Structure formats: C-alpha cells, structure tokens
mmCIF file of all heavy atoms in Angstrom:
data_model
loop_
_atom_site.group_PDB
_atom_site.id
_atom_site.type_symbol
_atom_site.label_atom_id
_atom_site.label_comp_id
_atom_site.label_asym_id
_atom_site.label_seq_id
_atom_site.Cartn_x
_atom_site.Cartn_y
_atom_site.Cartn_z
ATOM 1 N N SER A 30 43.010 121.045 116.417
ATOM 2 C CA SER A 30 43.769 121.799 117.416
ATOM 3 C C SER A 30 43.182 123.190 117.556
ATOM 4 O O SER A 30 42.866 123.835 116.545
ATOM 5 C CB SER A 30 45.245 121.912 117.001
ATOM 6 O OG SER A 30 45.902 120.670 117.071
ATOM 7 N N ILE A 31 43.085 123.675 118.780
ATOM 8 C CA ILE A 31 42.589 125.034 118.971
ATOM 9 C C ILE A 31 43.597 126.060 118.449
ATOM 10 O O ILE A 31 43.247 127.209 118.189
ATOM 11 C CB ILE A 31 42.250 125.318 120.439
ATOM 12 C CG1 ILE A 31 43.471 125.115 121.354
ATOM 13 C CG2 ILE A 31 41.082 124.464 120.895
ATOM 14 C CD1 ILE A 31 43.239 125.585 122.783
ATOM 15 N N GLU A 32 44.849 125.645 118.257
ATOM 16 C CA GLU A 32 45.841 126.535 117.656
ATOM 17 C C GLU A 32 45.562 126.788 116.177
ATOM 18 O O GLU A 32 46.071 127.740 115.594
ATOM 19 C CB GLU A 32 47.249 125.944 117.800
ATOM 20 C CG GLU A 32 47.718 125.760 119.236
ATOM 21 C CD GLU A 32 47.471 124.356 119.753
ATOM 22 O OE1 GLU A 32 46.356 123.818 119.517
ATOM 23 O OE2 GLU A 32 48.366 123.779 120.391
ATOM 24 N N ASP A 33 44.767 125.919 115.564
ATOM 25 C CA ASP A 33 44.392 126.051 114.151
ATOM 26 C C ASP A 33 43.229 127.031 114.045
ATOM 27 O O ASP A 33 42.054 126.640 114.072
ATOM 28 C CB ASP A 33 44.017 124.672 113.602
ATOM 29 C CG ASP A 33 43.516 124.715 112.158
ATOM 30 O OD1 ASP A 33 43.522 125.812 111.545
ATOM 31 O OD2 ASP A 33 43.104 123.657 111.649
ATOM 32 N N GLY A 34 43.548 128.311 113.947
ATOM 33 C CA GLY A 34 42.508 129.317 113.956
ATOM 34 C C GLY A 34 41.526 129.178 112.822
ATOM 35 O O GLY A 34 40.314 129.295 112.999
ATOM 36 N N GLU A 35 42.016 128.912 111.625
ATOM 37 C CA GLU A 35 41.133 128.791 110.469
ATOM 38 C C GLU A 35 40.173 127.621 110.635
ATOM 39 O O GLU A 35 38.965 127.744 110.400
ATOM 40 C CB GLU A 35 41.962 128.614 109.191
ATOM 41 C CG GLU A 35 41.126 128.545 107.927
ATOM 42 C CD GLU A 35 41.976 128.420 106.670
ATOM 43 O OE1 GLU A 35 43.217 128.557 106.773
ATOM 44 O OE2 GLU A 35 41.402 128.192 105.583
ATOM 45 N N GLY A 36 40.712 126.484 111.065
ATOM 46 C CA GLY A 36 39.860 125.306 111.247
ATOM 47 C C GLY A 36 38.847 125.503 112.363
ATOM 48 O O GLY A 36 37.668 125.138 112.225
ATOM 49 N N LEU A 37 39.287 126.090 113.463
ATOM 50 C CA LEU A 37 38.397 126.269 114.603
ATOM 51 C C LEU A 37 37.287 127.274 114.291
ATOM 52 O O LEU A 37 36.110 127.029 114.587
ATOM 53 C CB LEU A 37 39.197 126.723 115.829
ATOM 54 C CG LEU A 37 38.420 126.757 117.141
ATOM 55 C CD1 LEU A 37 38.004 125.355 117.562
ATOM 56 C CD2 LEU A 37 39.256 127.400 118.241
ATOM 57 N N LEU A 38 37.655 128.379 113.676
ATOM 58 C CA LEU A 38 36.644 129.378 113.338
ATOM 59 C C LEU A 38 35.679 128.853 112.273
ATOM 60 O O LEU A 38 34.495 129.213 112.261
ATOM 61 C CB LEU A 38 37.308 130.674 112.888
ATOM 62 C CG LEU A 38 38.047 131.426 114.004
ATOM 63 C CD1 LEU A 38 38.803 132.617 113.449
ATOM 64 C CD2 LEU A 38 37.097 131.864 115.095
ATOM 65 N N GLY A 39 36.172 127.979 111.417
ATOM 66 C CA GLY A 39 35.283 127.335 110.460
ATOM 67 C C GLY A 39 34.258 126.451 111.157
ATOM 68 O O GLY A 39 33.082 126.415 110.767
ATOM 69 N N LEU A 40 34.700 125.733 112.198
ATOM 70 C CA LEU A 40 33.779 124.903 112.968
ATOM 71 C C LEU A 40 32.750 125.772 113.696
ATOM 72 O O LEU A 40 31.556 125.439 113.737
ATOM 73 C CB LEU A 40 34.560 124.046 113.965
ATOM 74 C CG LEU A 40 33.735 123.071 114.798
ATOM 75 C CD1 LEU A 40 33.127 121.975 113.916
ATOM 76 C CD2 LEU A 40 34.597 122.437 115.901
ATOM 77 N N PHE A 41 33.190 126.877 114.266
ATOM 78 C CA PHE A 41 32.254 127.808 114.902
ATOM 79 C C PHE A 41 31.200 128.285 113.903
ATOM 80 O O PHE A 41 30.011 128.339 114.215
ATOM 81 C CB PHE A 41 33.005 129.016 115.468
ATOM 82 C CG PHE A 41 33.396 128.903 116.913
ATOM 83 C CD1 PHE A 41 34.649 128.430 117.278
ATOM 84 C CD2 PHE A 41 32.519 129.297 117.917
ATOM 85 C CE1 PHE A 41 35.021 128.349 118.614
ATOM 86 C CE2 PHE A 41 32.884 129.221 119.255
ATOM 87 C CZ PHE A 41 34.132 128.741 119.610
ATOM 88 N N ALA A 42 31.647 128.651 112.707
ATOM 89 C CA ALA A 42 30.712 129.156 111.699
ATOM 90 C C ALA A 42 29.703 128.087 111.290
ATOM 91 O O ALA A 42 28.527 128.385 111.047
ATOM 92 C CB ALA A 42 31.492 129.642 110.478
ATOM 93 N N GLU A 43 30.168 126.846 111.216
ATOM 94 C CA GLU A 43 29.292 125.753 110.798
ATOM 95 C C GLU A 43 28.287 125.385 111.878
ATOM 96 O O GLU A 43 27.101 125.164 111.600
ATOM 97 C CB GLU A 43 30.143 124.534 110.446
ATOM 98 C CG GLU A 43 29.338 123.333 109.972
ATOM 99 C CD GLU A 43 30.221 122.137 109.669
ATOM 100 O OE1 GLU A 43 31.462 122.270 109.712
ATOM 101 O OE2 GLU A 43 29.657 121.063 109.399
ATOM 102 N N GLU A 44 28.739 125.307 113.123
ATOM 103 C CA GLU A 44 27.886 124.797 114.202
ATOM 104 C C GLU A 44 27.190 125.896 115.005
ATOM 105 O O GLU A 44 26.169 125.642 115.629
ATOM 106 C CB GLU A 44 28.723 123.921 115.152
ATOM 107 C CG GLU A 44 29.218 122.636 114.544
ATOM 108 C CD GLU A 44 28.104 121.614 114.352
ATOM 109 O OE1 GLU A 44 26.955 121.872 114.790
ATOM 110 O OE2 GLU A 44 28.377 120.546 113.767
ATOM 111 N N ARG A 45 27.762 127.091 115.038
ATOM 112 C CA ARG A 45 27.228 128.197 115.833
ATOM 113 C C ARG A 45 26.802 127.746 117.233
ATOM 114 O O ARG A 45 25.617 127.815 117.604
ATOM 115 C CB ARG A 45 26.055 128.870 115.114
ATOM 116 C CG ARG A 45 26.459 129.640 113.867
ATOM 117 C CD ARG A 45 25.310 130.442 113.289
ATOM 118 N NE ARG A 45 24.696 131.349 114.263
ATOM 119 C CZ ARG A 45 25.200 132.537 114.617
ATOM 120 N NH1 ARG A 45 26.346 132.953 114.091
ATOM 121 N NH2 ARG A 45 24.561 133.283 115.493
ATOM 122 N N PRO A 46 27.735 127.251 118.028
ATOM 123 C CA PRO A 46 27.376 126.752 119.359
ATOM 124 C C PRO A 46 26.755 127.840 120.229
ATOM 125 O O PRO A 46 27.170 128.996 120.189
ATOM 126 C CB PRO A 46 28.718 126.289 119.931
ATOM 127 C CG PRO A 46 29.745 127.072 119.183
ATOM 128 C CD PRO A 46 29.191 127.228 117.798
ATOM 129 N N ARG A 47 25.750 127.453 120.995
ATOM 130 C CA ARG A 47 25.114 128.440 121.874
ATOM 131 C C ARG A 47 25.965 128.691 123.116
ATOM 132 O O ARG A 47 25.841 129.739 123.758
ATOM 133 C CB ARG A 47 23.706 128.002 122.271
ATOM 134 C CG ARG A 47 23.625 126.779 123.164
ATOM 135 C CD ARG A 47 22.171 126.539 123.567
ATOM 136 N NE ARG A 47 21.988 125.320 124.314
ATOM 137 C CZ ARG A 47 22.125 125.213 125.635
ATOM 138 N NH1 ARG A 47 22.488 126.263 126.343
ATOM 139 N NH2 ARG A 47 21.927 124.059 126.240
ATOM 140 N N ALA A 48 26.805 127.730 123.460
ATOM 141 C CA ALA A 48 27.699 127.892 124.606
ATOM 142 C C ALA A 48 28.961 127.081 124.351
ATOM 143 O O ALA A 48 28.962 126.129 123.564
ATOM 144 C CB ALA A 48 27.020 127.444 125.896
ATOM 145 N N VAL A 49 30.025 127.454 125.040
ATOM 146 C CA VAL A 49 31.316 126.784 124.881
ATOM 147 C C VAL A 49 31.856 126.432 126.265
ATOM 148 O O VAL A 49 31.879 127.283 127.166
ATOM 149 C CB VAL A 49 32.329 127.683 124.139
ATOM 150 C CG1 VAL A 49 33.700 127.004 124.073
ATOM 151 C CG2 VAL A 49 31.824 128.016 122.742
ATOM 152 N N VAL A 50 32.270 125.179 126.420
ATOM 153 C CA VAL A 50 33.013 124.759 127.610
ATOM 154 C C VAL A 50 34.440 124.495 127.145
ATOM 155 O O VAL A 50 34.710 123.495 126.472
ATOM 156 C CB VAL A 50 32.407 123.495 128.252
ATOM 157 C CG1 VAL A 50 33.203 123.112 129.505
ATOM 158 C CG2 VAL A 50 30.946 123.717 128.609
ATOM 159 N N HIS A 51 35.327 125.409 127.480
ATOM 160 C CA HIS A 51 36.694 125.353 126.963
ATOM 161 C C HIS A 51 37.616 124.708 127.991
ATOM 162 O O HIS A 51 37.974 125.317 128.999
ATOM 163 C CB HIS A 51 37.185 126.754 126.614
ATOM 164 C CG HIS A 51 38.610 126.784 126.160
ATOM 165 N ND1 HIS A 51 39.065 126.016 125.107
ATOM 166 C CD2 HIS A 51 39.689 127.462 126.633
ATOM 167 C CE1 HIS A 51 40.370 126.234 124.944
ATOM 168 N NE2 HIS A 51 40.758 127.098 125.864
ATOM 169 N N LEU A 52 37.991 123.455 127.704
ATOM 170 C CA LEU A 52 38.845 122.686 128.607
ATOM 171 C C LEU A 52 40.152 122.267 127.950
ATOM 172 O O LEU A 52 41.020 121.695 128.606
ATOM 173 C CB LEU A 52 38.093 121.447 129.102
ATOM 174 C CG LEU A 52 36.784 121.746 129.852
ATOM 175 C CD1 LEU A 52 35.967 120.483 130.042
ATOM 176 C CD2 LEU A 52 37.069 122.410 131.186
ATOM 177 N N ALA A 53 40.299 122.537 126.658
ATOM 178 C CA ALA A 53 41.546 122.190 125.969
ATOM 179 C C ALA A 53 42.659 123.119 126.431
ATOM 180 O O ALA A 53 42.458 124.323 126.576
ATOM 181 C CB ALA A 53 41.368 122.310 124.458
ATOM 182 N N ALA A 54 43.824 122.548 126.667
ATOM 183 C CA ALA A 54 44.987 123.348 127.070
ATOM 184 C C ALA A 54 46.199 122.438 127.096
ATOM 185 O O ALA A 54 46.070 121.211 127.163
ATOM 186 C CB ALA A 54 44.783 123.962 128.455
ATOM 187 N N GLN A 55 47.359 123.047 127.046
ATOM 188 C CA GLN A 55 48.559 122.290 127.367
ATOM 189 C C GLN A 55 48.654 122.281 128.887
ATOM 190 O O GLN A 55 48.823 123.313 129.518
ATOM 191 C CB GLN A 55 49.806 122.926 126.768
ATOM 192 C CG GLN A 55 51.097 122.184 127.120
ATOM 193 C CD GLN A 55 51.056 120.714 126.741
ATOM 194 O OE1 GLN A 55 50.922 120.366 125.577
ATOM 195 N NE2 GLN A 55 51.183 119.834 127.724
ATOM 196 N N ALA A 56 48.476 121.111 129.455
ATOM 197 C CA ALA A 56 48.413 120.979 130.913
ATOM 198 C C ALA A 56 49.778 120.629 131.484
ATOM 199 O O ALA A 56 50.715 120.292 130.767
ATOM 200 C CB ALA A 56 47.391 119.907 131.282
ATOM 201 N N GLY A 57 49.856 120.706 132.810
ATOM 202 C CA GLY A 57 51.056 120.256 133.521
ATOM 203 C C GLY A 57 51.994 121.383 133.886
ATOM 204 O O GLY A 57 52.462 122.113 133.020
ATOM 205 N N VAL A 58 52.239 121.531 135.183
ATOM 206 C CA VAL A 58 53.150 122.571 135.660
ATOM 207 C C VAL A 58 54.592 122.245 135.277
ATOM 208 O O VAL A 58 55.313 123.080 134.730
ATOM 209 C CB VAL A 58 53.016 122.739 137.186
ATOM 210 C CG1 VAL A 58 54.140 123.607 137.734
ATOM 211 C CG2 VAL A 58 51.663 123.348 137.530
ATOM 212 N N ARG A 59 55.021 121.028 135.538
ATOM 213 C CA ARG A 59 56.441 120.691 135.352
ATOM 214 C C ARG A 59 56.838 120.686 133.879
ATOM 215 O O ARG A 59 57.940 121.084 133.516
ATOM 216 C CB ARG A 59 56.743 119.339 136.009
ATOM 217 C CG ARG A 59 56.656 119.435 137.533
ATOM 218 C CD ARG A 59 56.758 118.106 138.243
ATOM 219 N NE ARG A 59 56.447 118.297 139.661
ATOM 220 C CZ ARG A 59 55.841 117.397 140.409
ATOM 221 N NH1 ARG A 59 55.450 116.252 139.886
ATOM 222 N NH2 ARG A 59 55.605 117.643 141.682
ATOM 223 N N TYR A 60 55.916 120.257 133.011
ATOM 224 C CA TYR A 60 56.227 120.228 131.582
ATOM 225 C C TYR A 60 56.417 121.636 131.027
ATOM 226 O O TYR A 60 57.100 121.822 130.019
ATOM 227 C CB TYR A 60 55.111 119.490 130.834
ATOM 228 C CG TYR A 60 55.380 119.263 129.364
ATOM 229 C CD1 TYR A 60 56.487 118.520 128.946
ATOM 230 C CD2 TYR A 60 54.533 119.779 128.400
ATOM 231 C CE1 TYR A 60 56.735 118.304 127.592
ATOM 232 C CE2 TYR A 60 54.765 119.566 127.051
ATOM 233 C CZ TYR A 60 55.870 118.829 126.648
ATOM 234 O OH TYR A 60 56.111 118.620 125.314
ATOM 235 N N SER A 61 55.827 122.631 131.688
ATOM 236 C CA SER A 61 55.971 124.007 131.202
ATOM 237 C C SER A 61 57.406 124.501 131.342
ATOM 238 O O SER A 61 57.804 125.457 130.671
ATOM 239 C CB SER A 61 55.016 124.946 131.935
ATOM 240 O OG SER A 61 55.365 125.108 133.295
ATOM 241 N N LEU A 62 58.192 123.847 132.195
ATOM 242 C CA LEU A 62 59.612 124.197 132.307
ATOM 243 C C LEU A 62 60.402 123.640 131.132
ATOM 244 O O LEU A 62 61.442 124.182 130.761
ATOM 245 C CB LEU A 62 60.197 123.658 133.618
ATOM 246 C CG LEU A 62 59.972 124.499 134.877
ATOM 247 C CD1 LEU A 62 58.499 124.546 135.260
ATOM 248 C CD2 LEU A 62 60.789 123.935 136.046
ATOM 249 N N GLU A 63 59.905 122.549 130.535
ATOM 250 C CA GLU A 63 60.617 121.884 129.449
ATOM 251 C C GLU A 63 60.220 122.408 128.073
ATOM 252 O O GLU A 63 61.040 122.480 127.171
ATOM 253 C CB GLU A 63 60.342 120.372 129.501
ATOM 254 C CG GLU A 63 60.734 119.702 130.808
ATOM 255 C CD GLU A 63 60.247 118.261 130.847
ATOM 256 O OE1 GLU A 63 59.974 117.700 129.756
ATOM 257 O OE2 GLU A 63 60.118 117.700 131.946
ATOM 258 N N ASN A 64 58.944 122.749 127.918
ATOM 259 C CA ASN A 64 58.437 123.107 126.596
ATOM 260 C C ASN A 64 57.512 124.319 126.697
ATOM 261 O O ASN A 64 56.300 124.208 126.478
ATOM 262 C CB ASN A 64 57.700 121.910 125.986
ATOM 263 C CG ASN A 64 57.346 122.128 124.531
ATOM 264 O OD1 ASN A 64 57.653 123.172 123.951
ATOM 265 N ND2 ASN A 64 56.678 121.156 123.930
ATOM 266 N N PRO A 65 58.056 125.480 127.013
ATOM 267 C CA PRO A 65 57.192 126.658 127.182
ATOM 268 C C PRO A 65 56.433 127.039 125.916
ATOM 269 O O PRO A 65 55.318 127.566 125.998
ATOM 270 C CB PRO A 65 58.171 127.761 127.601
ATOM 271 C CG PRO A 65 59.521 127.284 127.161
ATOM 272 C CD PRO A 65 59.473 125.793 127.268
ATOM 273 N N ALA A 66 56.993 126.761 124.746
ATOM 274 C CA ALA A 66 56.326 127.142 123.496
ATOM 275 C C ALA A 66 54.956 126.477 123.366
ATOM 276 O O ALA A 66 54.017 127.076 122.818
ATOM 277 C CB ALA A 66 57.203 126.787 122.306
ATOM 278 N N ALA A 67 54.832 125.247 123.871
ATOM 279 C CA ALA A 67 53.548 124.548 123.775
ATOM 280 C C ALA A 67 52.466 125.288 124.544
ATOM 281 O O ALA A 67 51.299 125.318 124.128
ATOM 282 C CB ALA A 67 53.688 123.119 124.312
ATOM 283 N N TYR A 68 52.839 125.904 125.645
ATOM 284 C CA TYR A 68 51.870 126.623 126.480
ATOM 285 C C TYR A 68 51.469 127.947 125.826
ATOM 286 O O TYR A 68 50.311 128.359 125.906
ATOM 287 C CB TYR A 68 52.453 126.855 127.873
ATOM 288 C CG TYR A 68 52.601 125.555 128.631
ATOM 289 C CD1 TYR A 68 53.646 124.681 128.344
ATOM 290 C CD2 TYR A 68 51.678 125.176 129.593
ATOM 291 C CE1 TYR A 68 53.778 123.474 129.001
ATOM 292 C CE2 TYR A 68 51.800 123.961 130.256
ATOM 293 C CZ TYR A 68 52.847 123.112 129.956
ATOM 294 O OH TYR A 68 52.956 121.909 130.606
ATOM 295 N N ILE A 69 52.417 128.582 125.205
ATOM 296 C CA ILE A 69 52.120 129.843 124.525
ATOM 297 C C ILE A 69 51.165 129.596 123.364
ATOM 298 O O ILE A 69 50.167 130.304 123.180
ATOM 299 C CB ILE A 69 53.423 130.512 124.061
ATOM 300 C CG1 ILE A 69 54.229 130.971 125.291
ATOM 301 C CG2 ILE A 69 53.134 131.696 123.143
ATOM 302 C CD1 ILE A 69 55.656 131.368 124.983
ATOM 303 N N GLN A 70 51.428 128.572 122.581
ATOM 304 C CA GLN A 70 50.591 128.296 121.418
ATOM 305 C C GLN A 70 49.190 127.826 121.815
ATOM 306 O O GLN A 70 48.186 128.312 121.287
ATOM 307 C CB GLN A 70 51.267 127.256 120.522
ATOM 308 C CG GLN A 70 52.488 127.779 119.804
ATOM 309 C CD GLN A 70 52.152 128.970 118.914
ATOM 310 O OE1 GLN A 70 51.195 128.937 118.137
ATOM 311 N NE2 GLN A 70 52.952 130.018 119.020
ATOM 312 N N SER A 71 49.099 126.888 122.733
ATOM 313 C CA SER A 71 47.799 126.328 123.087
ATOM 314 C C SER A 71 47.026 127.239 124.024
ATOM 315 O O SER A 71 45.871 127.595 123.765
ATOM 316 C CB SER A 71 47.975 124.950 123.729
ATOM 317 O OG SER A 71 46.724 124.391 124.077
ATOM 318 N N ASN A 72 47.664 127.645 125.114
ATOM 319 C CA ASN A 72 46.938 128.327 126.173
ATOM 320 C C ASN A 72 46.720 129.809 125.900
ATOM 321 O O ASN A 72 45.799 130.404 126.466
ATOM 322 C CB ASN A 72 47.653 128.148 127.511
ATOM 323 C CG ASN A 72 47.770 126.686 127.918
ATOM 324 O OD1 ASN A 72 47.424 125.796 127.155
ATOM 325 N ND2 ASN A 72 48.272 126.438 129.101
ATOM 326 N N LEU A 73 47.554 130.404 125.045
ATOM 327 C CA LEU A 73 47.385 131.825 124.730
ATOM 328 C C LEU A 73 46.815 132.013 123.324
ATOM 329 O O LEU A 73 45.726 132.552 123.154
ATOM 330 C CB LEU A 73 48.714 132.561 124.884
ATOM 331 C CG LEU A 73 49.316 132.523 126.298
ATOM 332 C CD1 LEU A 73 50.626 133.292 126.333
ATOM 333 C CD2 LEU A 73 48.347 133.081 127.326
#
C-alpha cells in the first residue's frame, strides 16, 4: 500500500527507480461520499 510509508520508502531505497508513474489512488467520485477517510489516506 502506498499508505505504508516505511514499506514504500524501503522499496524506493532498494530499487532507486529512475522514473515513477503514479496511478495508485482511491478512485470513484460517489464512493468518496461514503468513505472519505480512504481518500485522505491513499490520495493525500
């Protein structure tokens, strides 16, 4: 999960990607009315 800062930064340190295509997110307009916390954690 991108919300897992320690795990994600560990992967960055291991792989040192030259570029990043960031497409992970909590998607969906209507679901954001039901579960706003998911959007804050994932998207922010």
Side-chain angles (χ1 to χ4, degrees):
S30 291
I31 58 171
E32 298 95 316
D33 176 4
E35 183 178 351
L37 188 66
L38 291 174
L40 183 67
F41 266 94
E43 181 182 354
E44 293 287 355
R45 291 188 55 79
R47 67 175 174 86
V49 176
V50 181
H51 176 55
L52 301 168
Q55 178 55 62
V58 169
R59 291 172 189 147
Y60 186 60
S61 68
L62 277 66
E63 302 172 20
N64 189 1
Y68 292 77
I69 292 167
Q70 290 301 312
S71 180
N72 300 6
L73 299 180

